[in-house]
Amino acid sequence: MTKLSVNINKIATLRNSRGGDLPNVVQFAKDVQRFGAEGVTIHPRPDERHIRYQDARDLKPEVYTEYNIEGNPVEPFLKLVLEVKPTQVTLVPDAVDAITSNAGWDTIKNKGFLIDVIKEFQLNGIRTSIFVDPVLKQIEGAKETGTDRIELYTEAFAHQYGLGNKDAIRPYTESAELANDLGLGINAGHDLSLDNIKFFKENIPNLLEVSIGHALISESLYLGVENVIQMYLHKLK
């Protein structure tokens, strides 16, 4: 079964919009685990516009499932991850002003940099994953970095699937097959939703984990958080 990790950035965004501590990010993380989620994901950015660095620290003792911290490995992020020591770190090449993640790594151009960063995390017992587009040469490049896993960037699939183009899954399936052959674990995330998650899961061999935030929180406004988590878990079986 593919693990569901809930990205709770949107809860922090809502909290920050009014100041104070409502909704409480730590309590929400505890609740989604109680409702059945098998992981919690956060993606702190340098401007701390949603998840704050202190949130990452506060969450550490409360996340008893998979704890995944995503982000661009700039110096403050590196120090935070090495301090908190989550289950997994997912490296994402975010621009400072990016609204959300919008591209995977060029694993060939950034090979040397990624090797050094990944080695440091692994020496500290942190599983590594790198955000990649479904491009075969980038999957091969990811293998050369020494990463444990890749996270397939799924925005293109989600957009095309929403237009009725199911063939958009092909590069993801081919990338997953290559990753399996190379011994890389496979995660996925970005714009996956209740509408497309079952089809995606069925076409990605050995999909280990999906990280879902924006869609899950939006769906929960109408259907309730506990109900939505159970719906995802059912579709991921």
Side-chain angles (χ1 to χ4, degrees):
M1 181 175 171
T2 304
K3 288 185 176 181
L4 170 65
S5 185
V6 176
N7 185 316
I8 62 173
N9 276 24
K10 282 296 183 294
I11 301 305
T13 302
L14 184 59
R15 174 199 64 188
N16 296 352
S17 70
R18 281 290 292 268
D21 197 30
L22 185 68
N24 183 277
V25 169
V26 172
Q27 185 58 50
F28 192 83
K30 292 164 68 174
D31 288 339
V32 297
Q33 293 174 100
R34 180 165 56 88
F35 297 154
E38 295 125 329
V40 173
T41 291
I42 60 171
H43 190 147
R45 288 183 166 85
D47 61 6
E48 298 187 295
R49 64 180 180 269
H50 34 63
I51 286 290
R52 299 168 181 155
Y53 277 32
Q54 187 57 45
D55 292 327
R57 300 181 181 99
D58 294 343
L59 285 162
K60 170 65 174 178
E62 305 299 341
V63 179
Y64 54 86
T65 56
E66 296 258 333
Y67 189 15
N68 176 43
I69 301 182
E70 299 181 343
N72 192 341
V74 295
E75 191 63 28
F77 180 85
L78 294 172
K79 289 180 179 178
L80 176 72
V81 174
L82 291 173
E83 174 191 345
V84 174
K85 289 187 169 58
T87 315
Q88 175 177 268
V89 58
T90 300
L91 307 180
V92 183
D94 281 335
V96 173
D97 59 350
I99 295 175
T100 186
S101 306
N102 54 22
W105 285 97
D106 184 331
T107 58
I108 300 167
K109 180 179 179 180
N110 295 284
K111 177 181 174 180
F113 171 72
L114 289 169
I115 286 173
D116 291 343
V117 172
I118 287 166
K119 185 180 296 184
E120 181 70 15
F121 287 137
Q122 290 174 336
L123 287 172
N124 282 272
I126 304 167
R127 188 175 70 225
T128 60
S129 179
I130 57 176
F131 205 53
V132 292
D133 296 305
V135 178
L136 298 184
K137 67 178 183 178
Q138 298 299 341
I139 307 301
E140 292 171 344
K143 175 63 177 179
E144 294 299 314
T145 68
T147 189
D148 300 298
R149 296 187 184 185
I150 56 169
E151 178 172 331
L152 292 171
Y153 172 42
T154 51
E155 181 183 18
F157 157 75
H159 176 70
Q160 289 297 318
Y161 184 87
L163 297 175
N165 179 18
K166 293 186 177 181
D167 286 343
I169 195 66
R170 287 183 180 177
Y172 293 88
T173 302
E174 293 170 357
S175 294
E177 290 170 345
L178 176 58
N180 283 322
D181 289 343
L182 294 173
L184 292 170
I186 303 168
N187 299 339
H190 207 93
D191 288 349
L192 295 174
S193 68
L194 285 174
D195 290 334
N196 59 39
I197 189 65
K198 187 173 187 292
F199 179 82
F200 186 82
K201 153 74 175 177
E202 290 173 343
N203 286 277
I204 304 299
N206 299 318
L207 178 62
L208 298 176
E209 176 185 293
V210 291
S211 175
I212 305 179
H214 183 77
L216 187 151
I217 301 304
S218 299
E219 291 155 349
S220 296
L221 293 175
Y222 290 93
L223 301 172
V225 180
E226 182 172 8
N227 187 39
V228 165
I229 287 175
Q230 291 301 312
M231 293 169 74
Y232 273 102
L233 294 175
H234 178 72
K235 290 176 182 287
L236 287 168
K237 285 182 180 178

